[in-house]
């Protein structure tokens, strides 16, 4: 597990009408601040990678489909420097992944229909706060398959 990444079980309430998926509360132990919430839709086999936030904590939950989230730690002083972590998220495997700043991350839809990844970030999006790389950039030692 990459240092600083938190995986928190989330409450899911199912009944004969559907489901309620809890994600984040302002009294949750990993809540820091509210920047924005958005939903990223990924088509089957689509790859959305790589990006790194300089200041933002990301809080990911998959609310539809199946996502493989991949993290890469290249922080100079980290005890998990150069480690890769793969996490499978879905409504059947429902939890929140909190990713601290300076961790490269990306994801792919490994299901057969569209997947939706929700993010409740601590800072509103800004082009100056994010760094992007191609999914196939050799800097990150990961092969999308």
């Amino acid at each position: 597990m990459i240092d600083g990444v938190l995986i928190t079980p989330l409450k899911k309430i199912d009944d004969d009408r559907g489901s309620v998926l809890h994600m984040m509360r302002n009294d949750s132990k990993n809540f820091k601040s509210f920047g924005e919430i958005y939903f990223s839709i990924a088509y089957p086999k689509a790859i959305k990678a790589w990006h790194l936030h300089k200041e933002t904590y990301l809080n990911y939950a998959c609310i539809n489909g199946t996502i493989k989230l991949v993290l890469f730690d290249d922080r100079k002083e980290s005890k998990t420097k150069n480690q890769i972590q793969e996490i499978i998220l879905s409504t059947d495997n429902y939890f929140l992944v909190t990713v601290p700043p300076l961790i490269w991350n990306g994801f792919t839809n490994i299901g057969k229909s569209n997947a939706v990844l929700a993010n409740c970030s601590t800072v509103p999006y800004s082009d100056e706060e994010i760094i992007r790389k191609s999914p196939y950039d050799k800097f990150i030692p990961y092969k999308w398959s």
Side-chain angles (χ1 to χ4, degrees), residues 4 6-10 22-37 55-60 96-101 119-124:
L6 301 174
I7 296 178
T8 307
L10 292 174
H22 288 250
M23 183 175 170
M24 178 70 76
R25 296 168 48 112
N26 68 356
D27 61 354
S28 298
K29 67 178 180 176
N30 53 343
F31 178 80
K32 295 189 179 310
S33 65
F34 177 77
E36 69 175 329
I37 187 165
E55 301 171 15
T56 302
Y57 282 79
L58 307 171
N59 291 287
Y60 287 136
L96 185 75
V97 178
T98 302
V99 180
N119 178 24
C120 182
S121 65
T122 58
V123 175

Side-chain angles (χ1 to χ4, degrees), residues 21 23 38-43 48 60-67 89-91 94 107-109 113-119:
L21 305 170
M23 183 175 170
Y38 67 83
F39 305 94
S40 184
I41 298 171
Y43 302 134
K48 293 190 172 191
Y60 287 136
C62 182
I63 62 170
N64 190 66
T66 306
I67 293 286
L89 297 94
S90 71
T91 54
Y94 191 59
F107 63 92
T108 184
N109 177 350
S113 61
N114 291 354
V116 181
L117 187 66
N119 178 24

Side-chain angles (χ1 to χ4, degrees), residues 1-7 30 32 57-59 71 73 75 78-80 85 97-101 103:
M1 175 98 107
I2 291 179
D3 188 40
V5 173
L6 301 174
I7 296 178
N30 53 343
K32 295 189 179 310
Y57 282 79
L58 307 171
N59 291 287
L71 309 174
D73 186 359
R75 296 171 294 175
S78 174
K79 62 184 175 185
T80 55
Q85 182 175 356
V97 178
T98 302
V99 180
I103 300 290

